[in-house]
Amino acid sequence: MSFVFNNSYAHLPPRFYVRQSPVPVLAPRLVRLNRELAGELGLDLSWLASPEGIAVLAGNHVPAGAEPLAMAYAGHQFGGFVPQLGDGRAILLGEVLSPEGERFDIQLKGSGRTFFSRGGDGRAWLGPVLREFIMGEAMHALGIPTTRALAAVATGEPVFRDEEFPGAVLTRVARSHVRVGTFEYFAARQDTEALRQLADYVIARHYPEAGQSDRPYRALLVGVINRQADLIARWLAVGFIHGVMNTDNMSIAGETIDYGPCAFMDTFHPERVYSSIDRDGRYAYGNQPQIAHWNLLRLAECLLPLLDEDQGKAREVAQAAIDAFPGRFKAAHLERFRAKLGLTVALPDDSDLISDLLQVMAESHADFTNGFRALCDAAVGSEAGFLKEFGDCRAAKEWLRRWRVRWEQEPMEADLRASRMRRTNPAVIPRNHRVEAALAAALEQDLGPLDQLLRVLASPWDDQAESFPYRSPPEPHEVVHQTFCGT
Ligand code: AMP
Ligand code: MG
């Protein structure tokens, strides 16, 4: 049985999108199907894997009930405003409801040219498609809100970038594809009616509690701000760097979206950048909270016409909401890192304890993931691994001593503390060199390393034997210094 579509975006006014079917491809071949996600969505696995299902996932067949369209949006890219971006290589097929009644977009990415393609070919290639697959699944297993890949299909057609690559289509599942840039699109056109319709739509779909408020649009803004503050804190807690936090890549629903040149850090440094297109480090690890704040300010500006008839008052309302972001982020960040340190009671000096650890980490070039994982062992007395991670430096020993003193304020038994810490400090992350190796093998038709990587990433908290090789940082010759965008 095919998707059972239940569409809502397609019923918004025509200026929200351009109707467009995916462009068929030569020879679709299923590369990977996300069986777990299909199960969660109540989809028919055998149909998805059948020639008919694959034809839908490749864009060769538009199933009954789909209302394919390319969404309109704008965006600030690296600080500069582009009034029209839109889905240049993606098609929203429609929406489905999960067995729990939750609504999800089914989008094909790499599905051919659209009205918004500008000079682009509307296509994607296998490397970035599988990269997005891996990263989304890793994030999901880490408990971080994210879009996910349902399938990757090879098209049998070449895609031309610097070289020729095998084309592919990703089926992306998202709570929605509404972005900060979607609001910017209508704000730039001073189309207040569309802004209101979009805001009402988003409230109904993602922030129903805001609809109950006496100031729904303010409540919407606050809701988006809160979800982003929480999301960025979660990213920082696992060493994730998005890489392209443009406003068109920031989801209104609060999910991680548009995995391009993103990366998980190995050795910790707050200024770490991997993206080849981020030359100034605008989207460096430690800049992400400020950038989120900046992006949310762009959203607040868009909402001004809705916040109050008196634009002076509207500005005050928007400013107050925006000014709450740093505090909200700091609280979320503290909560995440307290948990990483095994602390359950909130004390005023915790913030220093956390930032001092991060500073020692940066100075001693410790591995972010393994440093925190070793701290779990230190919680039950074995400090050697932790100290080794920090090059046995005096500052690390001194920090451990302070951490132990801090325990006196904690009610929890050491064993319980360690086991809780192991649920917040992952053993495995998608290390760049492992991701690159899996992608390189997949391009040579060997899906073994990809399958193995995905299997290990599905259980990031466990000490299973299978995961050990994936826990090692790269050898010097394996270090990935740059990641590339998926275009
Ligand atoms: P991204 O960098 O993937 O967030 O995309 C930024 C904008 O460029 C969006 O409007 C995309 O739809 C568009 N875009 C990216 N790659 C392509 C492509 N190969 N063909 C057409 N449009 C593209
Ligand atoms: Mg994008």
Side-chain angles (χ1 to χ4, degrees):
M1 192 182 65
S2 175
F3 294 105
V4 179
F5 287 107
N6 180 318
N7 305 330
S8 60
Y9 207 82
H11 304 151
L12 286 167
R15 59 195 191 283
F16 279 63
Y17 47 77
V18 174
R19 293 207 188 268
Q20 165 80 53
S21 287
V23 181
V25 302
L26 199 59
R29 179 174 56 83
L30 186 62
V31 177
R32 212 167 192 292
L33 186 61
N34 190 338
R35 292 171 179 275
E36 188 211 328
L37 176 59
E40 285 172 30
L41 294 176
L43 301 173
D44 181 343
L45 262 174
S46 56
W47 176 81
L48 279 170
S50 73
E52 204 190 310
I54 296 169
V56 170
L57 299 173
N60 282 14
H61 174 65
V62 175
E67 293 172 273
L69 59 87
M71 289 169 71
Y73 55 86
H76 276 85
Q77 300 191 306
F78 292 89
F81 186 60
V82 185
Q84 181 172 297
L85 289 165
D87 288 333
R89 53 157 170 177
I91 295 288
L92 176 65
L93 276 186
E95 298 146 38
V96 296
L97 299 179
S98 73
E100 287 76 41
E102 290 180 295
R103 179 175 294 276
F104 292 96
D105 278 6
I106 304 291
Q107 191 205 58
L108 302 183
K109 186 170 173 183
S111 50
R113 285 181 53 79
T114 75
F115 174 81
F116 300 107
S117 296
R118 294 169 289 166
D121 59 3
R123 293 297 181 189
W125 62 277
L126 192 59
V129 161
L130 292 179
R131 193 161 210 285
E132 176 153 356
F133 201 125
I134 296 168
M135 297 312 247
E137 286 312 285
M139 289 297 244
H140 172 73
L142 290 167
I144 300 176
T146 179
T147 65
R148 294 177 74 186
L150 177 64
V153 171
T155 61
E157 292 177 4
V159 164
F160 300 95
R161 298 293 180 257
D162 293 343
E163 302 167 43
E164 185 181 310
F165 293 109
V169 176
L170 182 83
T171 306
R172 182 157 72 178
V173 174
R175 288 195 180 270
S176 87
H177 285 85
V178 179
R179 306 143 190 273
V180 169
T182 319
F183 282 89
E184 290 181 289
Y185 179 84
F186 294 115
R189 286 159 182 74
Q190 298 182 329
D191 186 344
T192 305
E193 193 193 339
L195 272 176
R196 191 181 303 277
Q197 284 167 313
L198 180 62
D200 289 342
Y201 177 82
V202 165
I203 288 171
R205 185 163 175 182
H206 300 302
Y207 297 90
E209 65 289 349
Q212 307 301 315
S213 156
D214 51 350
R215 309 203 60 170
Y217 303 119
R218 190 186 68 144
L220 166 63
L221 178 60
V222 170
V224 177
I225 287 171
N226 290 346
R227 280 195 205 171
Q228 284 297 332
D230 188 59
L231 180 67
I232 309 297
R234 286 173 184 272
W235 287 358
L236 296 202
V238 295
F240 178 73
I241 306 167
H242 182 284
V244 207
M245 282 178 72
N246 294 334
T247 54
D248 52 304
N249 293 338
M250 186 179 257
S251 154
I252 288 292
E255 290 183 323
T256 312
I257 193 169
D258 278 2
Y259 292 92
C262 59
F264 282 75
M265 265 192 297
D266 295 302
T267 48
F268 176 75
H269 200 287
E271 289 163 26
R272 181 76 70 230
V273 174
Y274 287 95
S275 166
S276 59
I277 53 173
D278 189 5
R279 291 199 191 83
D280 310 324
R282 179 181 170 90
Y283 299 138
Y285 171 83
N287 281 357
Q288 296 181 114
Q290 286 91 298
I291 290 292
H293 192 194
W294 191 90
N295 289 351
L296 290 163
L297 182 53
R298 305 284 81 78
L299 175 66
E301 286 166 352
C302 294
L303 293 177
L304 285 175
L306 308 183
L307 289 173
D308 203 296
E309 273 175 30
D310 175 339
Q311 285 301 283
K313 281 196 194 137
R315 286 199 172 273
E316 281 170 28
V317 170
Q319 196 65 50
I322 282 294
D323 289 347
F325 176 84
R328 180 77 190 204
F329 167 75
K330 192 160 184 251
H333 186 262
L334 260 173
E335 187 188 329
R336 292 282 139 219
F337 277 80
R338 261 198 198 105
K340 287 175 81 68
L341 265 51
L343 306 177
T344 55
V345 182
L347 293 180
D349 289 343
D350 292 346
S351 172
D352 287 344
L353 191 66
I354 292 163
S355 57
D356 290 349
L357 174 62
L358 292 175
Q359 195 181 332
V360 183
M361 220 176 212
E363 283 164 3
S364 59
H365 306 284
D367 183 86
F368 182 80
T369 303
N370 291 352
F372 276 105
R373 189 71 180 182
L375 194 61
C376 308
D377 299 328
V380 277
S382 20
E383 296 182 347
F386 177 85
L387 290 172
K388 189 162 160 258
E389 210 41 75
F390 286 75
D392 283 307
C393 69
R394 232 184 38 158
K397 284 182 195 148
E398 169 56 20
W399 186 87
L400 270 186
R401 193 194 58 73
R402 278 170 62 201
W403 183 54
R404 288 201 186 293
V405 171
R406 173 64 180 74
W407 285 9
E408 289 162 17
Q409 319 291 322
E410 287 287 322
M412 207 183 285
E413 294 291 323
D415 280 351
L416 182 58
R417 176 180 305 132
S419 72
R420 289 229 187 151
M421 285 172 69
R422 288 196 181 95
R423 300 291 300 175
T424 173
N425 292 302
V428 246
I429 49 151
R431 290 186 182 271
N432 301 313
H433 65 298
R434 287 289 182 179
V435 173
E436 295 304 324
L439 298 183
L443 285 174
E444 298 295 326
Q445 316 285 339
D446 176 8
L447 292 178
L450 174 75
D451 286 335
Q452 176 72 6
L453 179 61
L454 285 169
R455 201 160 45 240
V456 165
L457 292 172
S459 311
W461 316 113
D462 302 344
D463 282 318
Q464 85 262 39
E466 199 182 31
S467 79
F468 274 86
Y470 292 83
R471 294 168 61 166
S472 308
E475 296 292 336
H477 70 278
E478 293 174 317
V479 175
V480 174
H481 295 284
Q482 272 199 329
T483 49
F484 294 86
C485 59
T487 316

